């Protein structure tokens, strides 16, 4: 599917974004408030949601919370430039990525395509269709399913991508820039905390090793490492 759902109360901006997206080959649906946007996102007819944070009544953060209660559909948040609080909160709630406003239509299209490639399993994170096991962690890249000790993990597309990159290089540190390039499909921007927040979400969803540690450890000055059980 290539159907994009735009949720933004700025009708003029939505119309411009929708026109550009259609010219790039996407199908586009538009909603102008968070409540209707959340309902539409859960309809199963869209491939990705672009969700503005600042909206009346039900804002983008609350809409995302409702979406994540029952769906892992990819979500890009549109945040005010420099608004780190909304940005981090959105990522903590399970947004796949964010784009600061104002943004160019070209940048938005690039982010959408990167996430859809990853969600479809054709992004650069993919190295093999074969299942991957590291200790009690099992990954099925083709189905994009993950299990910890036989129990299914509820991961977003971005979280799965990050976990796959770390698991494929288990025992070795992976830089934040490599994680951003391979799992987010973009270079790591200065002061960008996206990787840190996604890793924090992953740690809360994964189990712990026999010694009580998280399998994802911080490597100071470098990035993160999926550690092997001794």
């Amino acid at each position: 599917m290539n159907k994009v759902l735009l949720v933004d109360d700025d009708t003029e901006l939505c119309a411009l974004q929708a026109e550009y997206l259609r010219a790039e080959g996407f199908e586009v649906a538009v909603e102008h408030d968070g409540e209707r946007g959340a309902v539409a996102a859960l309809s199963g007819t869209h491939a990705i949601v672009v969700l503005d944070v600042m909206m009346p009544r039900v804002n983008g953060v609350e809409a995302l919370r409702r979406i994540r209660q029952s769906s892992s559909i990819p979500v890009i948040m549109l945040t005010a430039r420099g608004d780190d609080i909304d940005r981090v909160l959105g990522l903590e709630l399970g947004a796949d990525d964010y784009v600061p406003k104002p943004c160019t239509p070209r940048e938005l299209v690039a982010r959408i395509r990167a996430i859809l490639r990853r969600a479809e399993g054709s992004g650069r994170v993919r190295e093999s269709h074969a299942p991957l096991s590291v200790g009690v962690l099992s990954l099925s890249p083709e189905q994009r399913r993950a299990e910890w000790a036989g129990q299914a993990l509820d991961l977003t597309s971005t979280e799965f991508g990050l976990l796959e990159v770390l698991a494929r290089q288990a025992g070795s540190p992976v830089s934040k820039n490599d994680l951003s390039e391979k799992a987010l499909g973009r270079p790591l921007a200065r002061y960008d905390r996206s990787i840190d927040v996604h890793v924090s979400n992953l740690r809360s969803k994964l189990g712990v090793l026999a010694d009580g540690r998280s399998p994802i450890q911080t490597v100071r000055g470098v990035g993160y490492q999926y550690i092997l059980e001794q």
Side-chain angles (χ1 to χ4, degrees):
M1 293 199 307
N2 68 339
K3 191 169 185 179
V4 179
L5 173 65
L6 297 178
V7 185
D8 193 330
D9 65 325
D10 187 332
T11 56
E12 183 176 349
L13 178 61
C14 256
L16 290 172
Q17 290 174 335
E19 182 180 2
Y20 191 91
L21 285 166
R22 291 185 181 111
E24 291 292 317
F26 293 96
E27 295 182 51
V28 183
V30 176
E31 294 292 350
H32 297 299
D33 70 75
E35 187 167 11
R36 290 175 61 88
V39 172
L42 295 172
S43 67
T45 59
H46 305 94
I48 191 169
V49 181
V50 179
L51 182 61
D52 186 35
V53 169
M54 297 299 296
M55 288 184 290
R57 297 174 59 208
V58 176
N59 64 25
V61 172
E62 176 57 27
L64 175 62
R65 194 191 311 273
R66 296 182 185 184
I67 292 168
R68 283 291 176 257
Q69 286 176 350
S70 57
S71 174
S72 59
I73 184 174
V75 176
I76 296 176
M77 300 292 288
L78 296 178
T79 66
R81 190 172 296 277
D83 195 342
D84 291 335
I85 294 176
D86 282 340
R87 188 172 301 165
V88 171
L89 181 56
L91 293 171
E92 288 177 341
L93 289 173
D96 289 83
D97 204 354
Y98 68 88
V99 178
K101 293 175 69 176
C103 66
T104 65
R106 180 179 295 180
E107 179 183 7
L108 182 59
V109 166
R111 296 289 184 92
I112 290 172
R113 283 184 170 148
I115 289 176
L116 290 179
R117 283 197 303 268
R118 188 172 66 244
E120 293 166 1
S122 58
R124 281 188 292 176
V125 69
R126 290 292 301 279
E127 296 178 19
S128 170
H129 291 282
L132 172 66
S133 295
V134 182
V136 296
L137 174 68
S138 298
L139 300 177
S140 298
E142 192 166 9
Q143 291 80 31
R144 297 189 74 74
R145 290 201 305 262
E147 294 183 351
W148 179 270
Q151 298 297 310
L153 297 172
D154 184 15
L155 304 179
T156 66
S157 175
T158 295
E159 289 166 355
F160 184 94
L162 283 168
L163 185 56
E164 184 181 356
V165 173
L166 288 166
R168 288 192 181 281
Q169 300 186 54
S172 300
V174 184
S175 72
K176 291 182 183 180
N177 191 66
D178 280 350
L179 286 170
S180 186
E181 289 272 12
K182 294 178 179 178
L184 299 185
R186 60 178 173 85
L188 186 70
R190 193 177 184 187
Y191 305 123
D192 190 343
R193 293 185 56 199
S194 301
I195 295 298
D196 300 318
V197 179
H198 286 309
V199 168
S200 177
N201 290 343
L202 272 176
R203 283 171 168 162
S204 69
K205 293 181 179 183
L206 293 172
V208 296
L209 302 175
D211 60 8
R213 291 183 298 166
S214 167
I216 302 177
Q217 293 292 304
T218 300
V219 181
R220 189 175 299 277
V222 180
Y224 295 98
Q225 177 178 335
Y226 193 98
I227 59 176
L228 301 171
E229 293 185 81
Q230 302 296 318

